[in-house]
């Protein structure tokens, strides 16, 4: 059982943004790895507090959490909470420590230089229903900033590579020591050594790279996938690249309509086919399927092809392909055909006689949504 985020931070549900931030800062300092070296439990609490703060500090995620609890972020890994490594926490929330730990930069405490993360890039990927049904690997061209070939960095002379400068002041309370990020290297601890031609002043250049993205089956319009490390790189020898955020865009299908994992298809058959029955070929998202029409099939009948829909992203099976039968009534008839129907008008075989099994349109709709 996962612990409640409010409980982790020791606040109640009515807490405002400032209170949430204050509560997180308190917990983060309490369980900070610098204060608890080698303490696994403290590290776990430190991660949990960051996870709770990540969700509760984001109005969108907080609303989802308030409504659905932890279930809001389960399965699929889309926008969920949780951190696997400490560096992620520091790169995201490092500034919350303020002056409590050195200059307030990320990294473990005030001794290490700041670790810079490159910015994220966003791209849209258009997918057909066929792509979504089977999952697909897409190759996309991404313009990203990378460290130029041949670039070298050297330890910053101002701070000797620590990223921090220390000032000692005499005050009425005695000697005070304050640390702040080094102004020469902005806390990174490194400065440019050799800048190759064609690189900018940070030693970076923009390249076009083909990135291969594996898209799982069952995704939907608007979902976001993260490709770690394929965003912009940041300068410096110890920097980490940003991420590539892939936004899914679904291309509407010409004849098939998606409803979550189920697919709907309108099949039109002639009056003669409805009377005589027969077989029909239907194009699903995973290929052609031959279906049998019974003799005397009614308009409005729904034929269900089990498991021929889309797979659930969370792995809860596969949806169905629903074929809605529509009988096409002829509009133009020859004199001879008209005479035939004229004769059949009062024939008892042509009289509507719905059975219990011939559910009305409304009953079918009700059934579909229940
Ligand atoms: Zn420096």
């Amino acid at each position: 059982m996962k612990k409640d985020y409010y409980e982790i931070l020791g606040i109640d549900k009515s807490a405002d943004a400032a209170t949430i931030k204050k509560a997180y800062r308190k917990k983060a300092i309490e369980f900070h790895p610098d204060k608890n070296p080698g303490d696994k439990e403290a590290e776990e609490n430190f991660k949990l507090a960051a996870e709770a703060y990540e969700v509760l500090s984001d109005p969108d995620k907080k609303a989802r959490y308030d409504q659905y609890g932890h279930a809001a972020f389960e399965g699929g890994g889309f926008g969920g909470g949780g951190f696997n490594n400490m560096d992620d926490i520091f790169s995201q929330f490092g500034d919350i420590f303020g002056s409590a730990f050195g200059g307030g930069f990320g990294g473990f405490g005030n001794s290490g230089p700041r670790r810079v993360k490159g910015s994220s890039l966003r791209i849209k990927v258009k997918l057909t229903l066929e792509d979504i049904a089977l999952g697909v690997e897409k190759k996309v061209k991404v313009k990203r900033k990378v460290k130029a070939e041949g670039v070298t960095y050297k330890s910053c002379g101002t701070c000797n590579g620590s990223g921090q400068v220390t000032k000692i002041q005499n005050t009425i309370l005695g000697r005070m020591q304050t640390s702040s990020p080094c102004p020469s290297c902005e806390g990174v601890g490194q400065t440019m050594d050799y800048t190759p031609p064609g690189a900018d002043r940070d030693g970076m250049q923009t390249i076009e790279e083909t990135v291969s993205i594996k898209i799982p089956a069952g995704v939907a319009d608007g979902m976001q996938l993260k490709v770690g490390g394929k965003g912009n790189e940041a300068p410096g020898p110890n920097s980490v690249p940003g991420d590539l955020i892939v936004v899914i865009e679904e291309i509407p299908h010409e004849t098939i309509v998606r409803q979550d994992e189920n697919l709907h298809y309108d099949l039109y058959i002639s009056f003669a086919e409805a009377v005589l029955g027969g077989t029909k070929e239907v194009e699903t998202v995973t290929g052609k399927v031959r279906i049998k029409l019974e003799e005397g099939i009614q308009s409005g009948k729904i034929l269900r092809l089990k498991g021929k829909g889309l797979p659930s992203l969370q792995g809860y099976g596969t949806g169905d392909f629903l074929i809605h039968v529509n009988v096409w009534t002829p509009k133009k008839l020859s004199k001879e055909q008209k005479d035939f129907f004229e004769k059949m008008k009062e024939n008892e075989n042509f009289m509507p006689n719905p059975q219990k099994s011939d559910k009305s349109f409304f009953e079918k709709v009700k059934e579909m949504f229940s």
Side-chain angles (χ1 to χ4, degrees), residues 155-165 181-191:
S155 195
C156 171
T158 312
C159 63
N160 292 319
S162 72
Q164 303 286 321
V165 285
C182 168
S184 308
C185 62
E186 293 173 339
V188 179
Q190 301 277 332
T191 53

Side-chain angles (χ1 to χ4, degrees), residues 269-278 293-297 327 341 350:
I269 60 172
S270 73
F271 189 73
E273 283 173 314
V275 173
L276 301 171
L293 302 174
E294 65 196 64
E295 267 180 49
I297 193 166
V327 176
F341 283 107
F350 275 68

Side-chain angles (χ1 to χ4, degrees), residues 167-182:
K167 241 185 8 208
I168 295 172
Q169 280 174 305
N170 288 309
T171 72
I172 48 164
L173 298 170
R175 276 157 71 86
M176 292 260 291
Q177 184 179 320
T178 53
S179 295
S180 54
C182 168

Side-chain angles (χ1 to χ4, degrees), residues 18 28-29 48 93 101 113 132 142 144 173 179 184 206 211 227 229 269 275 287 290 300 304 323 340 342 347 353-354:
I29 291 169
L48 276 177
F93 302 132
F101 289 91
I132 292 168
V142 179
R144 53 192 294 255
L173 298 170
S179 295
S184 308
T206 303
V211 178
V227 185
I269 60 172
V275 173
R290 276 200 95 74
R304 187 183 285 263
I323 300 167
F340 168 75
E342 205 58 66
N347 186 292
N353 180 24

